[in-house]
Amino acid sequence: MNYLKAAFLFPDSPLSGFSNLALHYFYSFFKKNNVDFDIFFHHSEEGYFSKRKIGAFDVVFVSLSYEYYYLNLSEWFFKNKIPMRKSERANGRYPLFVAGGIALTINPAPLIDCFDIILLGEAEKMEKELLHLLSLNSFEEIEDCIANVDFAVSSRKEYGVAVKADSGTFGIASASELMKEGNCFNNRLIMELNRGCTNRCKFCAASYVYKTYREASKEFVFASIDNAVSKNNGLALMGTSLNNVSYFNEILDVALKKSIPISLSSVKVNALTENLVEKLKGCGVKTISFAVESADTNTRKSILKQVTDDNIYNGYSLISSAGMNARFYFIAGLPDTDLNVEADALIELFSNLRKKFGKLSVDLSFAPFSPKPFTPFETERMITKNEYTKFKKNVEKGLKKVDFSIKTHFFSYRESVVQAFLSVSNRGVLSFVEEYGKLANLSETLIKESVSPEKTMTEKRDEMPWRDIILKQ
C-alpha cells in the first residue's frame, strides 16, 4: 500500500523529554504500517530523521495534551512561514493539518479555525480511518471521507463524538529509537497502564472525559517489560489509578526479580499497604506521590476525593517507616473554599504528622484550581493572583513553624491562568494565539490583543463552546 507522506509535530521543546506518549504512539504506528514519515518539534524547521522541510509532507499530525502548547504551536507555524488559519492555506501549497489529543478532545473550539481536521478521542479507535485517510490521492477525497466519520470535526461538519479505546486494546511504550535522546524519567522506558479513573473527583477531566476506567493490554505491557530488561532500561509507569491496575503487583514482582528500577506517577494513598511500599522500595522508588488536593476534610468530601486524614497518617507512617520520601499534591482555590481555612487545615495536618513521626521528609506541590470542560466545575472561577500569593505566604509561614525541612513548590499562576483561559475559550481566541507566534512574547501579546486571562478566569462564565462541538458526552 502506498501512503501519503506524514509528519508528526510534537509542540514542545526539541528533545525535552520524549515523555509525550502520543509521540511514541505515532512513531510506532507509522513505522508498523510502512508510512513515509518524520517528526518535527517546537523549534524545528526540518525533520528529526530525514532533515526534510515540512513542505515535503502531505499530512501533518499534531497531538495537543496541554493547552499551553498552543503558544508553541503558533511559534512553529510562524517560523515555518505557514498560515495558522486553515482558510489562508486553501490554495494547496501546504500540507493538510490533522490534530487531536486530550486538550482538543475536551474543547476543540480554540483551534477549530486552525486545523483542517480535528479528531476527537483516542487514536487506537481511529487506526483504520487514519490509514484509509493516508491512502487517498487528494485533499478533496480526504475531506469527503472524513465528513462521514463520527469522531472527525472539519469545515464540512463542526461537531463530533469522542471515541475511546476498549480495555485491553491499547498499549503505548517508549520507542527505542527515540529513547537515545533521553527523557525526564532518567531515560526509563515509559509505559501507560490505564485510562479513565475509578473515582469521579469533580475537578478532574480524566474522570469525566476519559470516563470508564480501562487497562492497557497486559500482553503488550509485559512484552515491553521484557524489551526493557533486554536493554537494561528501567521502567516509568504512567496512569491515573496505578493501584487499581489488575496486574500492577505482577509488574512489581517482575521488576524485583529482574532488578529493574522503576518510577511511577502518583498512587492512591488510601490503597497503600506495607507490602506495596516494600515492593516499591525494592524497585528503587525513593519518593511516593499522593494527590490529596486539600488538607481540609470537608473540602475533600465536597469534591468527592475519597481520602481521609487516617489514610494520610497511615500512608505517611508506611512511607517513613520504609525510609522513603512523600510528595503531596494540593489544589489552591477549589470552588466554595476559604483559602484561610485551607491554609490552616494544611498547617494543622503537617503539624500533626510532625508530632506523630518527628522530622518530616515531604515535598508539597501546589497549583491554582483550573476549571476543565465537562467537569462539574467547568464554569467555576479561579482565584486571583493576589489570593494565590497570600495563600502561598500563609502556607510557607505556617510550615516554617512546623518543620523547616518541608519543601514547597508553587506552580506558576501566570502559566496556570493562561492555560485555563485557553482551555475554556471559544474560536475567537485564535487571534491571540496567532499573534503570540509573531511576537513570541506573552506580555506583549496580551497587551496588543487586549486580553486579560486573569480577569476572564476569576469570574464565573456561562459560555461553554465545547458543548456545541462534542456530542453525547
Side-chain angles (χ1 to χ4, degrees), residues 379 459-465:
T379 60
E459 299 175 353
K460 277 200 171 188
R461 293 153 288 101
D462 295 325
E463 186 184 28
M464 293 180 281

Side-chain angles (χ1 to χ4, degrees), residues 289-326:
S289 301
F290 307 122
V292 299
E293 322 309 351
S294 172
D296 182 66
T297 302
N298 292 328
T299 297
R300 292 198 300 269
K301 287 180 180 177
S302 70
I303 64 173
L304 304 183
K305 189 72 182 183
Q306 297 175 12
V307 172
T308 66
D309 285 350
D310 285 342
N311 293 148
I312 296 172
Y313 295 139
N314 179 65
Y316 186 77
S317 175
L318 293 171
I319 290 172
S320 61
S321 296
M324 302 169 73
N325 304 320

Side-chain angles (χ1 to χ4, degrees), residues 259-277:
S259 299
I260 307 171
I262 70 168
S263 57
L264 65 164
S265 54
S266 64
V267 297
K268 291 182 177 178
V269 66
N270 54 3
L272 269 193
T273 63
E274 184 176 356
N275 182 50
L276 177 57
V277 170

Side-chain angles (χ1 to χ4, degrees), residues 42-43 70-80 84 433 436-438 440:
H42 169 208
H43 290 297
Y70 298 175
L71 304 183
N72 290 349
L73 179 70
S74 179
E75 279 191 279
W76 184 88
F77 270 104
F78 184 74
K79 287 178 181 177
N80 284 276
M84 194 168 189
V433 174
Y436 176 85
K438 301 172 185 176

Side-chain angles (χ1 to χ4, degrees), residues 3 25-35 37 127 131:
Y3 293 114
Y25 169 80
F26 272 94
Y27 174 85
S28 300
F29 174 72
F30 289 145
K31 187 176 180 183
K32 177 179 67 177
N33 291 287
N34 297 313
V35 176
F37 76 97
E127 291 186 353
L131 285 175

Side-chain angles (χ1 to χ4, degrees), residues 151-425:
F151 54 79
V153 173
S154 68
S155 298
R156 305 272 186 94
K157 180 172 67 71
E158 292 192 343
Y159 59 87
V161 179
V163 293
K164 303 171 183 65
D166 297 327
S167 192
T169 65
F170 61 90
I172 305 177
S174 304
S176 57
E177 293 87 347
L178 301 181
M179 287 183 66
K180 64 182 180 180
E181 300 296 342
N183 60 41
C184 53
F185 297 101
N186 296 318
N187 205 26
R188 292 173 177 173
L189 183 140
I190 307 166
M191 287 194 304
E192 181 188 31
L193 298 188
N194 72 328
R195 294 177 187 168
C197 189
T198 55
N199 294 340
R200 284 291 179 268
C201 300
K202 291 182 178 180
F203 61 89
C204 182
S207 297
Y208 293 89
V209 178
Y210 285 129
K211 291 188 176 179
T212 308
Y213 172 81
R214 290 154 293 140
E215 295 182 358
S217 162
K218 183 176 179 180
E219 180 181 2
F220 174 88
V221 167
F222 281 91
S224 298
I225 292 174
D226 288 341
N227 183 48
V229 171
S230 69
K231 292 181 170 59
N232 295 315
N233 293 130
L235 302 174
L237 308 178
M238 308 298 291
T240 54
S241 306
L242 294 181
N243 309 66
N244 295 112
V245 175
S246 61
Y247 47 81
F248 183 55
N249 272 292
E250 291 180 56
I251 294 174
L252 299 184
D253 290 338
V254 171
L256 282 168
K257 183 178 180 180
K258 302 289 186 180
S259 299
I260 307 171
I262 70 168
S263 57
L264 65 164
S265 54
S266 64
V267 297
K268 291 182 177 178
V269 66
N270 54 3
L272 269 193
T273 63
E274 184 176 356
N275 182 50
L276 177 57
V277 170
E278 286 302 319
K279 284 185 178 183
L280 292 174
K281 182 179 180 180
C283 294
V285 175
K286 296 179 180 178
T287 300
I288 296 180
S289 301
F290 307 122
V292 299
E293 322 309 351
S294 172
D296 182 66
T297 302
N298 292 328
T299 297
R300 292 198 300 269
K301 287 180 180 177
S302 70
I303 64 173
L304 304 183
K305 189 72 182 183
Q306 297 175 12
V307 172
T308 66
D309 285 350
D310 285 342
N311 293 148
I312 296 172
Y313 295 139
N314 179 65
Y316 186 77
S317 175
L318 293 171
I319 290 172
S320 61
S321 296
M324 302 169 73
N325 304 320
R327 178 175 294 117
F328 291 87
Y329 293 108
F330 294 96
I331 299 175
L334 285 159
D336 301 319
T337 58
D338 184 314
L339 285 171
N340 291 325
V341 172
E342 293 291 307
D344 290 344
L346 187 137
I347 294 162
E348 181 181 3
L349 173 65
F350 286 94
S351 178
N352 290 337
L353 284 171
R354 181 69 165 84
K355 292 173 184 176
K356 286 176 178 286
F357 304 107
K359 185 177 180 180
L360 301 176
S361 181
V362 296
D363 296 340
L364 311 184
S365 291
F366 299 87
F369 161 73
S370 174
K372 289 293 184 183
F374 292 108
T375 68
F377 290 158
E378 61 187 352
T379 60
E380 294 289 343
R381 65 176 289 270
M382 290 182 69
I383 54 175
T384 65
K385 183 178 181 179
N386 287 339
E387 289 173 317
Y388 187 54
T389 301
K390 182 181 177 181
F391 173 77
K392 177 177 181 288
K393 289 179 179 178
N394 288 342
V395 167
E396 291 178 333
K397 181 179 179 181
L399 289 177
K400 283 181 181 179
K401 297 177 181 178
V402 173
D403 192 329
F404 270 98
S405 65
I406 297 176
K407 299 175 183 177
T408 59
H409 170 73
F410 287 81
F411 192 74
S412 163
Y413 179 84
R414 186 188 198 189
E415 184 169 337
S416 294
V417 77
V418 171
Q419 177 269 330
F421 171 68
L422 292 172
S423 75
V424 300
S425 289

